[in-house]
Amino acid sequence: MAACVVSLQASDIPIVGGPHAGTSPHADVAQWASMFPDCGGQMQSPINIDTSSTSVSLELQPVELAGYRLDPREQLRLENNGHTVVLELPSSLTIASGYPQEYRASQLHLHWGSPEGPGSEHTVDGRRYDGELHVVYYNPSYQSIKEAMRQPGGLAVLAAFLQVGPEDNEHYQPLLEQLPEVQEKGKKTTVDGFDIKGLLPTSLSRYYRYSGSLTTPPCYQTVNWTVFNQTVLLSQKQISLLETTLQGDHEELLQNNFRPTQSLHGRKVLASF
Ligand SMILES: [Zn+2]
């Protein structure tokens, strides 16, 4: 089963557990490092972003995306893997600017909390947001994402915080309306192609950048993280649907699928603004 960041070709990557391993997201995170040494490393994700200690870098150009308006005839696979809901993306979706090299898309997935509390993975000045979108990319100079995920800088993740706002976010409807179709772990369906860029914030110029890891085993420390400053607003109804529809490993509701924040161990967090 694939890691947080892997393109869920389930047979590709022999990972125990998967994106958010375990029956309860927090039940076994303390044990991850015994099976996956990188999980105990010094460049782990997610982190709390302390905005007073970030460094502004003028080299961080606005993120530019290419190829995100997909034809409805293009069918995208959506899967409940027991740890999150994963939408596979064609590699024709790229990050054209904002990193020193091009990255190509693999998949996207979400993290969320429960009606009792928020569930983003990253926090900002200690604040946890309602949810978090991760769009996962690999460096195409490697032959596959499986190879890229083991190489420094092999992966990039664009992360955006989800927050309750006053109205439905129509961009999320193609994804959310299919959640009941993948309620049980292992269920798959397809989603008609739509404008994937609409899932991200409208402003892609203000963001934080740091070197980190997959947030699930094997926790490889190969991810170039971008965490956008602008949040994405969904209605309360949409967030509630996310929090109360999917089931995990043992038919329990899949909730709070975030990893606790990890120590920086001296890493610098850059800001583009
Ligand atoms: Zn993730």
Side-chain angles (χ1 to χ4, degrees), residues 47-54 123-129 208:
I47 58 165
N48 174 54
I49 296 167
D50 175 3
T51 57
S52 66
S53 5
T54 58
T123 57
V124 179
D125 295 333
R127 175 180 179 179
R128 192 176 301 285
Y129 289 86
Y208 302 101

Side-chain angles (χ1 to χ4, degrees), residues 177-189:
E177 68 191 14
Q178 294 299 322
L179 291 184
E181 303 296 319
V182 294
Q183 189 167 29
E184 294 95 28
K185 179 188 175 181
K187 285 276 248 343
K188 298 177 181 123
T189 188

Side-chain angles (χ1 to χ4, degrees), residues 171-248:
H171 298 291
Y172 273 77
Q173 275 311 110
L175 187 57
L176 294 177
E177 68 191 14
Q178 294 299 322
L179 291 184
E181 303 296 319
V182 294
Q183 189 167 29
E184 294 95 28
K185 179 188 175 181
K187 285 276 248 343
K188 298 177 181 123
T189 188
T190 54
V191 177
D192 294 347
F194 62 104
D195 184 6
I196 304 295
K197 193 178 175 183
L199 302 175
L200 286 159
T202 51
S203 166
L204 303 180
S205 58
R206 293 160 69 89
Y207 59 84
Y208 302 101
R209 169 75 45 81
Y210 78 99
S211 295
S213 74
L214 310 185
T215 66
T216 53
C219 306
Y220 292 145
Q221 302 185 129
T222 55
V223 182
N224 246 323
W225 281 92
T226 294
V227 180
F228 290 111
N229 181 63
Q230 189 184 45
T231 63
V232 177
L233 300 183
L234 276 67
S235 67
Q236 180 63 62
K237 197 173 132 210
Q238 289 179 310
I239 294 281
S240 298
L241 187 75
L242 190 58
E243 291 172 343
T244 60
T245 302
L246 301 183
Q247 296 172 2

Side-chain angles (χ1 to χ4, degrees), residues 4 20 109 111 121 134 215:
C4 177
H20 310 98
H109 62 269
H111 298 267
E121 291 217 293
H134 287 162
T215 66

Side-chain angles (χ1 to χ4, degrees), residues 32-52:
W32 284 358
S34 62
M35 286 185 73
F36 305 97
D38 283 9
C39 298
Q42 308 227 316
M43 293 175 59
Q44 289 291 291
S45 295
I47 58 165
N48 174 54
I49 296 167
D50 175 3
T51 57
S52 66

Side-chain angles (χ1 to χ4, degrees), residues 131-199:
E132 189 167 329
L133 165 71
H134 287 162
V135 191
V136 179
Y137 300 82
Y138 67 98
N139 181 338
S141 53
Y142 301 109
Q143 289 199 334
S144 64
I145 188 166
K146 187 182 168 187
E147 192 185 330
M149 69 189 293
R150 299 167 184 274
Q151 308 298 329
L155 300 176
V157 178
L158 300 184
F161 294 117
L162 311 181
Q163 202 175 3
V164 172
E167 52 198 34
D168 284 344
N169 184 327
E170 62 183 45
H171 298 291
Y172 273 77
Q173 275 311 110
L175 187 57
L176 294 177
E177 68 191 14
Q178 294 299 322
L179 291 184
E181 303 296 319
V182 294
Q183 189 167 29
E184 294 95 28
K185 179 188 175 181
K187 285 276 248 343
K188 298 177 181 123
T189 188
T190 54
V191 177
D192 294 347
F194 62 104
D195 184 6
I196 304 295
K197 193 178 175 183
L199 302 175

